[in-house]
Coordinates of all heavy atoms in Angstrom, one line a residue:
M1 N 0.8 -1.2 0.0 CA 0.0 0.0 0.0 C 0.9 1.2 0.0 O 1.9 1.3 0.7 CB -0.9 0.0 1.2 CG -1.9 1.1 1.3 SD -3.0 0.9 2.6 CE -3.5 2.5 2.9
S2 N 0.5 2.2 -0.8 CA 1.3 3.5 -0.8 C 0.5 4.7 -0.4 O -0.7 4.6 -0.4 CB 1.9 3.7 -2.2 OG 0.8 3.9 -3.1
S3 N 1.2 5.7 0.0 CA 0.6 6.9 0.3 C 1.2 8.1 -0.5 O 2.5 8.1 -0.7 CB 0.6 7.2 1.8 OG 1.9 7.3 2.2
R4 N 0.4 9.0 -0.9 CA 0.9 10.1 -1.7 C 1.4 11.2 -0.7 O 0.6 11.6 0.2 CB -0.1 10.6 -2.7 CG 0.3 11.8 -3.5 CD -0.5 11.9 -4.8 NE -0.2 10.8 -5.7 CZ -0.6 10.8 -6.9 NH1 -1.4 11.7 -7.4 NH2 -0.3 9.8 -7.7
V5 N 2.6 11.7 -0.9 CA 3.1 12.8 -0.1 C 3.5 14.0 -1.0 O 4.0 13.8 -2.1 CB 4.2 12.4 0.9 CG1 3.8 11.3 1.8 CG2 5.4 11.9 0.1
R6 N 3.4 15.2 -0.5 CA 3.9 16.4 -1.2 C 5.4 16.5 -1.1 O 5.9 16.5 0.0 CB 3.2 17.6 -0.6 CG 3.6 18.9 -1.4 CD 2.9 20.1 -0.8 NE 3.3 21.3 -1.4 CZ 4.4 22.0 -1.2 NH1 5.3 21.6 -0.3 NH2 4.7 23.1 -1.9
L7 N 6.0 16.5 -2.3 CA 7.5 16.5 -2.3 C 7.9 18.0 -2.2 O 8.8 18.3 -1.3 CB 8.0 16.0 -3.7 CG 9.4 16.0 -4.0 CD1 10.1 15.0 -3.0 CD2 9.7 15.6 -5.4
C8 N 7.4 18.9 -3.0 CA 7.8 20.3 -2.9 C 6.9 21.0 -3.9 O 6.1 20.4 -4.6 CB 9.3 20.5 -3.2 SG 9.8 19.9 -4.9
A9 N 7.1 22.3 -4.0 CA 6.5 23.1 -5.1 C 7.5 23.1 -6.3 O 8.7 23.0 -6.1 CB 6.2 24.5 -4.7
R10 N 7.0 23.2 -7.5 CA 7.8 23.2 -8.7 C 8.9 24.2 -8.5 O 10.1 24.0 -8.9 CB 7.0 23.4 -9.9 CG 7.7 23.3 -11.2 CD 6.8 23.5 -12.4 NE 5.7 22.6 -12.5 CZ 5.8 21.3 -13.0 NH1 7.0 20.9 -13.5 NH2 4.8 20.5 -13.0
G11 N 8.6 25.4 -8.0 CA 9.5 26.5 -7.9 C 10.5 26.4 -6.8 O 11.4 27.2 -6.7
D12 N 10.4 25.3 -6.0 CA 11.3 25.2 -4.8 C 12.7 24.7 -5.3 O 13.7 24.9 -4.5 CB 10.8 24.2 -3.8 CG 9.6 24.7 -3.0 OD1 9.4 25.9 -3.0 OD2 8.9 23.9 -2.4
V13 N 12.9 24.2 -6.4 CA 14.2 23.7 -6.9 C 14.4 24.2 -8.3 O 13.6 23.9 -9.2 CB 14.3 22.2 -6.7 CG1 13.2 21.4 -7.4 CG2 15.6 21.7 -7.2
E14 N 15.5 25.0 -8.5 CA 15.8 25.6 -9.8 C 16.4 24.6 -10.7 O 17.0 23.6 -10.3 CB 16.7 26.8 -9.6 CG 16.1 27.9 -8.7 CD 15.0 28.6 -9.4 OE1 15.1 28.8 -10.7 OE2 14.0 28.9 -8.8
P15 N 16.4 24.8 -12.0 CA 17.1 23.9 -13.0 C 18.5 23.8 -12.6 O 19.2 24.8 -12.3 CB 16.9 24.7 -14.3 CG 15.6 25.4 -14.2 CD 15.6 25.9 -12.7
G16 N 19.0 22.5 -12.6 CA 20.4 22.3 -12.3 C 20.7 22.1 -10.8 O 21.8 21.9 -10.4
Q17 N 19.6 22.3 -10.0 CA 19.8 22.2 -8.5 C 19.1 21.0 -8.0 O 18.3 20.3 -8.6 CB 19.1 23.5 -7.9 CG 19.7 24.8 -8.4 CD 21.2 24.9 -8.0 OE1 21.6 24.8 -6.8 NE2 22.0 25.2 -9.0
M18 N 19.4 20.7 -6.7 CA 18.8 19.6 -6.0 C 18.3 20.1 -4.7 O 18.8 21.2 -4.2 CB 19.8 18.4 -5.8 CG 21.0 18.8 -5.1 SD 22.1 17.3 -5.1 CE 23.7 18.1 -4.5
L19 N 17.4 19.4 -4.1 CA 16.7 19.8 -2.9 C 16.5 18.6 -1.9 O 16.1 17.6 -2.3 CB 15.3 20.4 -3.2 CG 14.5 20.8 -2.0 CD1 15.0 22.1 -1.4 CD2 13.0 21.1 -2.5
R20 N 17.0 18.8 -0.7 CA 16.7 17.8 0.4 C 15.3 17.9 0.8 O 14.9 19.0 1.2 CB 17.7 18.0 1.5 CG 17.5 17.1 2.7 CD 18.6 17.3 3.7 NE 18.3 16.4 4.9 CZ 19.3 16.1 5.8 NH1 20.5 16.6 5.7 NH2 19.0 15.3 6.8
V21 N 14.6 16.8 0.9 CA 13.2 16.9 1.4 C 13.0 15.9 2.5 O 13.2 14.6 2.3 CB 12.2 16.5 0.2 CG1 10.8 16.6 0.7 CG2 12.4 17.4 -1.0
D22 N 12.8 16.4 3.7 CA 12.6 15.5 4.9 C 11.1 15.7 5.3 O 10.6 16.8 5.5 CB 13.5 16.0 6.0 CG 14.9 15.8 5.7 OD1 15.3 14.7 5.2 OD2 15.8 16.7 6.0
I23 N 10.4 14.5 5.3 CA 9.0 14.5 5.6 C 8.9 13.5 6.7 O 9.4 12.3 6.6 CB 8.2 14.1 4.4 CG1 8.4 15.0 3.2 CG2 6.7 14.0 4.8 CD1 7.8 14.5 1.9
A24 N 8.2 13.8 7.8 CA 8.0 12.9 8.9 C 7.4 11.6 8.5 O 6.4 11.6 7.8 CB 7.2 13.6 10.0
G25 N 8.0 10.5 8.9 CA 7.5 9.2 8.6 C 7.8 8.7 7.2 O 7.3 7.6 6.9
V26 N 8.6 9.4 6.5 CA 9.0 9.0 5.1 C 10.5 9.0 5.0 O 11.2 9.8 5.6 CB 8.4 10.1 4.1 CG1 8.9 9.9 2.7 CG2 6.9 10.0 4.2
P27 N 11.0 8.0 4.2 CA 12.5 8.0 4.0 C 13.0 9.3 3.4 O 12.2 9.9 2.7 CB 12.7 6.8 3.1 CG 11.5 6.0 3.2 CD 10.3 6.9 3.6
P28 N 14.2 9.7 3.7 CA 14.7 10.9 3.2 C 14.7 10.9 1.6 O 15.0 9.9 1.0 CB 16.2 11.0 3.7 CG 16.2 10.1 4.9 CD 15.2 9.0 4.6
L29 N 14.2 12.0 1.1 CA 14.0 12.2 -0.4 C 14.9 13.3 -0.9 O 15.3 14.2 -0.2 CB 12.6 12.4 -0.7 CG 11.6 11.4 -0.3 CD1 10.1 11.9 -0.5 CD2 11.8 10.1 -1.0
A30 N 15.2 13.2 -2.2 CA 15.9 14.2 -2.9 C 15.1 14.6 -4.2 O 14.7 13.7 -4.9 CB 17.3 13.8 -3.2
A31 N 15.0 15.9 -4.5 CA 14.4 16.3 -5.7 C 15.5 17.0 -6.6 O 16.3 17.7 -6.1 CB 13.3 17.3 -5.4
F32 N 15.5 16.6 -7.8 CA 16.5 17.1 -8.8 C 15.8 17.8 -10.0 O 14.9 17.2 -10.5 CB 17.3 16.0 -9.3 CG 18.1 15.2 -8.2 CD1 17.5 14.1 -7.6 CD2 19.3 15.6 -7.8 CE1 18.1 13.4 -6.6 CE2 20.0 14.9 -6.9 CZ 19.4 13.8 -6.2
N33 N 16.2 18.9 -10.3 CA 15.6 19.6 -11.5 C 16.5 19.5 -12.6 O 17.7 20.1 -12.6 CB 15.4 21.1 -11.1 CG 14.6 21.8 -12.2 OD1 14.7 21.5 -13.4 ND2 13.8 22.8 -11.8
I34 N 16.1 18.7 -13.7 CA 16.9 18.6 -14.9 C 16.1 19.3 -16.0 O 15.1 18.9 -16.5 CB 17.0 17.1 -15.3 CG1 17.7 16.3 -14.1 CG2 17.8 17.0 -16.6 CD1 17.7 14.8 -14.3
D35 N 16.6 20.5 -16.3 CA 16.0 21.3 -17.4 C 14.5 21.5 -17.2 O 13.7 21.4 -18.1 CB 16.2 20.6 -18.8 CG 17.7 20.6 -19.1 OD1 18.4 21.5 -18.7 OD2 18.1 19.6 -19.8
G36 N 14.1 21.8 -15.9 CA 12.7 22.0 -15.6 C 11.9 20.8 -15.2 O 10.7 21.0 -14.8
E37 N 12.5 19.6 -15.4 CA 11.7 18.4 -15.1 C 12.3 17.9 -13.7 O 13.5 17.7 -13.5 CB 12.0 17.4 -16.2 CG 11.2 16.1 -16.1 CD 11.5 15.2 -17.3 OE1 11.4 15.7 -18.4 OE2 11.8 14.0 -17.1
I38 N 11.3 17.7 -12.8 CA 11.7 17.3 -11.5 C 11.7 15.7 -11.3 O 10.8 15.1 -11.7 CB 10.8 17.8 -10.4 CG1 10.6 19.3 -10.5 CG2 11.2 17.5 -9.0 CD1 11.9 20.1 -10.3
H39 N 12.8 15.2 -10.8 CA 13.0 13.8 -10.6 C 13.2 13.6 -9.1 O 13.8 14.5 -8.4 CB 14.2 13.2 -11.3 CG 14.0 13.3 -12.8 ND1 13.5 12.3 -13.5 CD2 14.2 14.3 -13.7 CE1 13.4 12.6 -14.8 NE2 13.9 13.9 -14.9
C40 N 12.7 12.5 -8.5 CA 12.8 12.2 -7.1 C 13.5 10.9 -6.9 O 13.2 9.9 -7.5 CB 11.5 12.3 -6.5 SG 11.5 11.9 -4.7
T41 N 14.4 10.9 -5.9 CA 15.1 9.6 -5.5 C 15.2 9.6 -4.0 O 14.9 10.6 -3.3 CB 16.5 9.5 -6.1 OG1 17.4 10.4 -5.3 CG2 16.6 9.8 -7.5
S42 N 15.5 8.4 -3.5 CA 16.0 8.4 -2.1 C 17.2 9.3 -1.9 O 17.9 9.5 -2.9 CB 16.4 6.9 -1.8 OG 17.1 6.9 -0.6
N43 N 17.3 9.9 -0.8 CA 18.4 10.8 -0.5 C 19.6 10.1 0.2 O 20.5 10.7 0.6 CB 18.0 12.0 0.3 CG 18.9 13.2 0.1 OD1 19.8 13.2 -0.7 ND2 18.7 14.2 0.9
L44 N 19.5 8.8 0.4 CA 20.5 8.0 1.1 C 21.3 7.2 0.1 O 20.8 6.4 -0.7 CB 19.9 7.1 2.1 CG 19.1 7.7 3.2 CD1 18.5 6.7 4.1 CD2 20.0 8.7 4.0
C45 N 22.6 7.4 0.1 CA 23.5 6.6 -0.7 C 23.3 5.1 -0.4 O 23.1 4.7 0.8 CB 24.9 7.0 -0.5 SG 26.1 6.1 -1.6
T46 N 23.4 4.3 -1.4 CA 23.2 2.8 -1.2 C 24.5 2.1 -0.8 O 24.5 0.9 -0.5 CB 22.7 2.1 -2.5 OG1 23.7 2.3 -3.5 CG2 21.4 2.7 -2.9
H47 N 25.6 2.9 -0.7 CA 26.9 2.3 -0.3 C 27.0 2.3 1.2 O 27.1 1.2 1.8 CB 28.1 3.1 -1.0 CG 29.4 2.6 -0.5 ND1 30.4 3.4 0.0 CD2 29.9 1.3 -0.5 CE1 31.5 2.6 0.3 NE2 31.2 1.4 0.0
Q48 N 27.1 3.5 1.8 CA 27.1 3.6 3.3 C 26.1 4.7 3.6 O 25.4 5.2 2.7 CB 28.5 3.8 3.8 CG 29.4 2.5 3.7 CD 30.8 2.8 4.2 OE1 31.1 3.8 4.7 NE2 31.6 1.7 4.0
F49 N 26.2 5.2 4.8 CA 25.3 6.3 5.2 C 25.8 7.6 4.7 O 26.8 8.1 5.3 CB 25.0 6.3 6.7 CG 24.0 7.4 7.0 CD1 22.6 7.1 6.9 CD2 24.4 8.6 7.4 CE1 21.7 8.0 7.2 CE2 23.4 9.6 7.7 CZ 22.1 9.3 7.6
A50 N 25.2 8.2 3.8 CA 25.5 9.6 3.3 C 24.3 10.2 2.7 O 23.5 9.5 2.1 CB 26.7 9.6 2.3
I51 N 24.2 11.5 2.9 CA 23.1 12.3 2.3 C 23.5 12.8 0.9 O 24.4 13.6 0.8 CB 22.6 13.4 3.2 CG1 22.2 12.9 4.6 CG2 21.6 14.3 2.6 CD1 20.9 12.1 4.5
L52 N 22.8 12.3 -0.1 CA 23.3 12.6 -1.5 C 23.2 14.1 -1.8 O 24.1 14.7 -2.5 CB 22.5 11.8 -2.5 CG 22.8 10.3 -2.4 CD1 21.9 9.6 -3.3 CD2 24.3 10.0 -2.8
T53 N 22.2 14.8 -1.2 CA 22.1 16.3 -1.5 C 23.2 17.1 -0.8 O 23.3 18.3 -1.1 CB 20.7 16.8 -1.1 OG1 20.4 16.5 0.2 CG2 19.7 16.3 -2.1
D54 N 24.1 16.4 0.0 CA 25.3 17.1 0.5 C 26.4 16.9 -0.5 O 27.5 17.5 -0.3 CB 25.7 16.4 1.8 CG 24.8 16.8 3.0 OD1 24.0 17.8 2.8 OD2 24.8 16.1 4.0
G55 N 26.2 16.2 -1.6 CA 27.2 16.0 -2.6 C 27.1 17.0 -3.8 O 26.8 18.2 -3.6
F56 N 27.3 16.5 -5.0 CA 27.3 17.3 -6.2 C 26.3 16.8 -7.2 O 26.2 15.6 -7.3 CB 28.7 17.3 -6.7 CG 29.8 17.7 -5.7 CD1 30.4 16.7 -5.0 CD2 30.0 19.1 -5.5 CE1 31.4 17.1 -4.1 CE2 30.9 19.4 -4.5 CZ 31.6 18.4 -3.8
F57 N 25.7 17.7 -7.9 CA 24.7 17.3 -9.0 C 25.0 18.1 -10.2 O 25.2 19.3 -10.2 CB 23.3 17.7 -8.4 CG 22.2 17.5 -9.5 CD1 22.1 16.3 -10.2 CD2 21.4 18.5 -9.7 CE1 21.1 16.2 -11.1 CE2 20.3 18.4 -10.6 CZ 20.2 17.2 -11.3
E58 N 25.2 17.3 -11.3 CA 25.4 17.9 -12.6 C 24.8 17.1 -13.7 O 24.9 15.8 -13.6 CB 26.9 18.1 -12.9 CG 27.2 18.8 -14.2 CD 28.7 19.1 -14.3 OE1 29.5 18.7 -13.5 OE2 29.0 19.9 -15.3
D59 N 24.1 17.7 -14.7 CA 23.4 17.0 -15.7 C 22.3 16.1 -15.1 O 21.4 16.7 -14.5 CB 24.3 16.2 -16.6 CG 25.3 17.2 -17.4 OD1 24.9 18.3 -17.7 OD2 26.4 16.8 -17.6
D60 N 22.5 14.8 -15.2 CA 21.5 13.9 -14.5 C 22.2 13.0 -13.5 O 21.7 11.9 -13.2 CB 20.6 13.2 -15.5 CG 21.5 12.3 -16.5 OD1 22.7 12.3 -16.3 OD2 20.9 11.6 -17.3
V61 N 23.3 13.4 -13.0 CA 24.1 12.6 -12.1 C 24.4 13.3 -10.8 O 24.7 14.4 -10.7 CB 25.5 12.2 -12.8 CG1 26.4 11.5 -11.8 CG2 25.3 11.4 -14.1
V62 N 24.2 12.5 -9.7 CA 24.5 13.0 -8.4 C 25.7 12.2 -7.9 O 25.8 11.0 -8.0 CB 23.3 12.9 -7.4 CG1 22.9 11.5 -7.1 CG2 23.6 13.6 -6.1
E63 N 26.6 12.9 -7.3 CA 27.8 12.3 -6.7 C 27.8 12.3 -5.2 O 27.6 13.4 -4.6 CB 29.1 13.0 -7.2 CG 30.4 12.4 -6.7 CD 31.6 13.2 -7.2 OE1 31.6 13.8 -8.3 OE2 32.6 13.1 -6.4
C64 N 28.0 11.2 -4.6 CA 27.9 11.1 -3.1 C 29.1 11.9 -2.5 O 30.2 11.8 -3.0 CB 28.0 9.6 -2.7 SG 28.0 9.4 -1.0
P65 N 28.8 12.6 -1.4 CA 29.9 13.3 -0.8 C 30.9 12.5 0.0 O 32.0 13.0 0.2 CB 29.2 14.3 0.2 CG 27.9 13.5 0.5 CD 27.6 12.7 -0.7
L66 N 30.6 11.2 0.3 CA 31.5 10.5 1.1 C 32.6 9.8 0.4 O 33.8 9.9 0.7 CB 30.6 9.5 1.9 CG 31.2 8.9 3.2 CD1 31.7 10.0 4.1 CD2 30.2 8.1 4.0
H67 N 32.3 9.0 -0.6 CA 33.3 8.2 -1.4 C 33.2 8.5 -2.9 O 33.9 7.8 -3.6 CB 33.2 6.7 -1.1 CG 33.2 6.4 0.3 ND1 32.1 5.9 1.0 CD2 34.1 6.5 1.3 CE1 32.3 5.7 2.3 NE2 33.6 6.0 2.5
G68 N 32.4 9.4 -3.3 CA 32.4 9.8 -4.7 C 31.6 8.8 -5.6 O 31.7 9.0 -6.9
G69 N 30.8 7.9 -5.1 CA 30.0 7.1 -5.9 C 29.0 8.0 -6.6 O 28.6 9.0 -6.1
C70 N 28.5 7.5 -7.8 CA 27.6 8.3 -8.6 C 26.3 7.5 -9.0 O 26.4 6.3 -9.2 CB 28.2 8.8 -9.9 SG 29.5 10.0 -9.5
F71 N 25.2 8.3 -9.1 CA 24.0 7.7 -9.5 C 23.3 8.5 -10.6 O 23.4 9.8 -10.6 CB 23.0 7.6 -8.4 CG 23.4 6.8 -7.2 CD1 24.1 7.4 -6.2 CD2 23.2 5.4 -7.2 CE1 24.6 6.6 -5.1 CE2 23.6 4.6 -6.1 CZ 24.3 5.3 -5.1
N72 N 22.6 7.9 -11.6 CA 21.8 8.6 -12.5 C 20.5 8.8 -11.8 O 19.8 7.9 -11.3 CB 21.6 7.7 -13.8 CG 20.7 8.4 -14.8 OD1 19.6 8.8 -14.5 ND2 21.2 8.5 -16.0
V73 N 20.1 10.1 -11.6 CA 18.9 10.4 -10.9 C 17.6 10.2 -11.7 O 16.5 10.1 -11.1 CB 18.9 11.8 -10.3 CG1 20.1 12.0 -9.5 CG2 18.8 12.9 -11.4
R74 N 17.7 9.9 -13.0 CA 16.5 9.6 -13.7 C 16.1 8.1 -13.5 O 14.9 7.8 -13.3 CB 16.7 9.8 -15.2 CG 17.0 11.2 -15.7 CD 17.2 11.2 -17.2 NE 17.7 12.4 -17.7 CZ 17.0 13.4 -18.2 NH1 15.7 13.3 -18.2 NH2 17.6 14.5 -18.6
T75 N 17.1 7.3 -13.5 CA 16.9 5.8 -13.4 C 17.3 5.2 -12.1 O 16.9 4.1 -11.8 CB 17.7 5.1 -14.5 OG1 19.1 5.3 -14.2 CG2 17.4 5.7 -15.9
G76 N 18.1 5.9 -11.3 CA 18.6 5.4 -10.1 C 19.9 4.5 -10.3 O 20.4 4.0 -9.3
A77 N 20.3 4.3 -11.5 CA 21.4 3.4 -11.8 C 22.7 3.8 -11.1 O 23.0 5.0 -11.1 CB 21.7 3.3 -13.3
A78 N 23.4 2.9 -10.5 CA 24.7 3.2 -9.9 C 25.7 3.2 -11.0 O 25.8 2.3 -11.8 CB 25.0 2.1 -8.9
L79 N 26.5 4.3 -11.1 CA 27.4 4.6 -12.2 C 28.8 4.4 -11.8 O 29.7 4.2 -12.7 CB 27.1 6.0 -12.8 CG 25.7 6.3 -13.2 CD1 25.6 7.8 -13.6 CD2 25.3 5.4 -14.4
E80 N 29.2 4.7 -10.6 CA 30.6 4.7 -10.2 C 30.8 3.9 -9.0 O 30.0 4.0 -8.0 CB 31.0 6.2 -9.9 CG 31.1 7.1 -11.1 CD 32.3 6.9 -11.9 OE1 33.3 6.3 -11.4 OE2 32.3 7.3 -13.1
F81 N 31.9 3.2 -8.9 CA 32.4 2.5 -7.8 C 32.6 3.6 -6.6 O 33.0 4.7 -6.9 CB 33.8 1.9 -8.1 CG 34.3 1.1 -6.9 CD1 33.9 -0.2 -6.7 CD2 35.2 1.7 -6.1 CE1 34.5 -0.9 -5.7 CE2 35.8 1.0 -5.0 CZ 35.4 -0.3 -4.8
P82 N 32.2 3.2 -5.4 CA 31.9 1.9 -4.9 C 30.4 1.6 -4.9 O 30.0 0.5 -4.3 CB 32.4 2.0 -3.4 CG 32.2 3.4 -3.1 CD 32.4 4.2 -4.3
C83 N 29.6 2.4 -5.5 CA 28.2 2.1 -5.5 C 27.8 1.0 -6.5 O 28.2 1.1 -7.7 CB 27.4 3.4 -5.8 SG 27.7 4.7 -4.6
K84 N 27.1 0.0 -6.1 CA 26.6 -1.0 -6.9 C 25.1 -1.2 -7.0 O 24.5 -1.6 -8.0 CB 27.3 -2.4 -6.5 CG 28.8 -2.4 -6.6 CD 29.3 -3.7 -6.1 CE 30.8 -3.7 -6.2 NZ 31.4 -4.9 -5.5
T85 N 24.5 -0.9 -5.8 CA 23.1 -1.0 -5.7 C 22.4 0.2 -6.2 O 22.8 1.3 -5.8 CB 22.7 -1.2 -4.2 OG1 23.4 -2.4 -3.7 CG2 21.2 -1.4 -4.0
P86 N 21.4 0.1 -7.1 CA 20.7 1.3 -7.6 C 20.0 2.1 -6.5 O 19.6 1.5 -5.4 CB 19.6 0.7 -8.6 CG 20.0 -0.7 -8.8 CD 20.8 -1.2 -7.6
L87 N 19.8 3.3 -6.8 CA 19.1 4.2 -5.9 C 17.6 4.1 -6.2 O 17.2 4.0 -7.4 CB 19.6 5.6 -6.3 CG 19.3 6.8 -5.3 CD1 20.0 6.5 -4.0 CD2 19.9 8.1 -5.9
R88 N 16.8 4.1 -5.2 CA 15.4 4.1 -5.4 C 14.9 5.4 -6.0 O 15.3 6.5 -5.6 CB 14.7 3.9 -4.0 CG 13.2 3.8 -4.1 CD 12.7 2.5 -3.7 NE 11.3 2.4 -4.0 CZ 10.4 2.0 -3.2 NH1 10.8 1.7 -2.0 NH2 9.2 1.9 -3.5
T89 N 14.0 5.2 -7.0 CA 13.4 6.4 -7.6 C 11.9 6.4 -7.4 O 11.3 5.4 -7.2 CB 13.7 6.4 -9.1 OG1 13.1 5.3 -9.7 CG2 15.2 6.5 -9.4
Y90 N 11.4 7.6 -7.5 CA 9.9 7.8 -7.2 C 9.3 8.6 -8.3 O 9.8 9.8 -8.5 CB 9.7 8.5 -5.9 CG 10.2 7.7 -4.7 CD1 11.5 8.0 -4.2 CD2 9.4 6.8 -4.0 CE1 12.0 7.3 -3.1 CE2 9.9 6.1 -2.9 CZ 11.2 6.4 -2.5 OH 11.7 5.7 -1.4
P91 N 8.4 8.1 -9.1 CA 7.7 8.9 -10.1 C 7.1 10.2 -9.4 O 6.5 10.1 -8.4 CB 6.7 8.0 -10.7 CG 7.1 6.6 -10.3 CD 7.8 6.7 -9.0
V92 N 7.2 11.3 -10.1 CA 6.7 12.5 -9.6 C 5.4 12.9 -10.3 O 5.3 12.8 -11.6 CB 7.7 13.7 -9.8 CG1 7.1 15.0 -9.4 CG2 9.0 13.3 -9.0
T93 N 4.4 13.2 -9.6 CA 3.1 13.7 -10.1 C 2.9 15.1 -9.8 O 3.0 15.6 -8.7 CB 1.9 12.8 -9.5 OG1 2.2 11.5 -9.8 CG2 0.6 13.3 -10.1
A94 N 2.5 15.9 -10.8 CA 2.3 17.3 -10.6 C 0.8 17.6 -10.5 O 0.0 17.0 -11.2 CB 2.8 18.1 -11.8
V95 N 0.4 18.4 -9.5 CA -0.9 18.8 -9.3 C -0.8 20.3 -9.1 O -0.4 20.8 -8.1 CB -1.6 18.2 -8.0 CG1 -3.0 18.7 -7.9 CG2 -1.6 16.7 -8.1
G96 N -1.1 21.0 -10.2 CA -0.9 22.5 -10.2 C 0.6 22.7 -10.1 O 1.4 22.1 -10.8
E97 N 1.0 23.6 -9.2 CA 2.4 23.9 -8.9 C 3.0 22.9 -7.9 O 4.2 23.0 -7.6 CB 2.6 25.3 -8.5 CG 2.4 26.3 -9.6 CD 3.4 26.1 -10.8 OE1 4.6 26.0 -10.5 OE2 2.9 25.9 -11.9
D98 N 2.2 22.1 -7.3 CA 2.8 21.1 -6.3 C 3.1 19.8 -6.9 O 2.5 19.3 -7.8 CB 1.8 21.0 -5.2 CG 1.6 22.2 -4.3 OD1 2.6 22.9 -4.1 OD2 0.4 22.5 -3.9
L99 N 4.2 19.2 -6.3 CA 4.7 17.9 -6.8 C 4.5 16.9 -5.8 O 4.9 17.1 -4.6 CB 6.1 18.1 -7.3 CG 6.4 19.1 -8.3 CD1 7.9 19.3 -8.6 CD2 5.7 18.8 -9.6
Y100 N 4.1 15.7 -6.2 CA 3.8 14.6 -5.2 C 4.5 13.3 -5.6 O 4.8 13.1 -6.8 CB 2.3 14.3 -5.1 CG 1.5 15.5 -4.6 CD1 1.1 16.5 -5.4 CD2 1.2 15.5 -3.2 CE1 0.4 17.6 -4.9 CE2 0.5 16.6 -2.7 CZ 0.1 17.6 -3.5 OH -0.6 18.7 -3.0
V101 N 4.8 12.5 -4.6 CA 5.4 11.2 -4.9 C 4.6 10.2 -4.1 O 4.0 10.5 -3.0 CB 6.9 11.0 -4.6 CG1 7.7 11.8 -5.6 CG2 7.2 11.4 -3.2
D102 N 4.5 8.9 -4.6 CA 3.8 7.8 -3.9 C 4.9 7.0 -3.2 O 5.8 6.5 -3.8 CB 3.0 7.0 -4.9 CG 1.9 7.8 -5.5 OD1 1.2 8.5 -4.7 OD2 1.6 7.6 -6.7
I103 N 4.7 6.9 -1.9 CA 5.7 6.2 -1.0 C 5.0 4.9 -0.5 O 3.9 5.0 0.0 CB 6.1 7.0 0.2 CG1 6.7 8.4 -0.3 CG2 7.1 6.3 1.1 CD1 8.0 8.3 -1.0
E104 N 5.7 3.8 -0.6 CA 5.1 2.5 -0.1 C 5.4 2.4 1.4 O 6.4 2.8 1.9 CB 5.8 1.3 -0.8 CG 5.3 1.3 -2.3 CD 5.9 0.1 -3.0 OE1 6.6 -0.7 -2.4 OE2 5.8 0.1 -4.2
Ligands
LIG201 FE1 28.2 7.1 -0.8 FE2 30.2 5.6 0.0 S1 28.6 6.4 1.2 S2 29.8 6.3 -2.0

């Protein structure tokens, strides 16, 4: 069973930027703006404990601040050692200017 939660407003994250989203009772989330399109992933690196939005984001890739592992934020694919496990992604639904994701 999933529940829909509000991720952010479309204007909360500018193109080329990322946003840490902490919602009570929900795993840490990250919103990424790629040319005006918002993508959402887990904000926790799959290698060890690190917050991805503390790292670097360029094009469609986020780099973990701890060991430099990288993920494609569109697909969640792990791109760089030491990350091997994909990042969880969440489809984003727009309702007006607000963006929502469904969390299981
Ligand atoms: Fe992210 Fe190691 S914790 S690459």
Side-chain angles (χ1 to χ4, degrees):
M1 183 170 156
S2 65
S3 60
R4 181 160 286 188
V5 297
R6 183 181 178 277
L7 181 66
C8 61
R10 187 180 297 278
D12 287 344
V13 53
E14 297 293 323
Q17 301 296 309
M18 57 184 168
L19 177 71
R20 176 178 179 160
V21 180
D22 294 316
I23 302 168
V26 171
L29 300 174
F32 301 89
N33 187 328
I34 302 172
D35 298 329
E37 187 176 308
I38 306 298
H39 296 265
C40 179
T41 73
S42 164
N43 202 10
L44 298 178
C45 185
T46 61
H47 176 231
Q48 291 179 2
F49 184 83
I51 299 294
L52 292 172
T53 51
D54 289 341
F56 306 94
F57 173 53
E58 186 170 6
D59 298 327
D60 58 0
V61 175
V62 65
E63 180 181 333
C64 178
L66 200 52
H67 306 112
C70 291
F71 300 92
N72 181 304
V73 303
R74 294 178 193 268
T75 65
L79 303 175
E80 288 282 342
F81 182 84
C83 299
K84 295 178 182 170
T85 303
L87 197 59
R88 180 112 191 234
T89 61
Y90 299 90
V92 175
T93 301
V95 179
E97 286 302 304
D98 291 323
L99 303 174
Y100 294 85
V101 291
D102 293 319
I103 304 291
E104 290 178 9

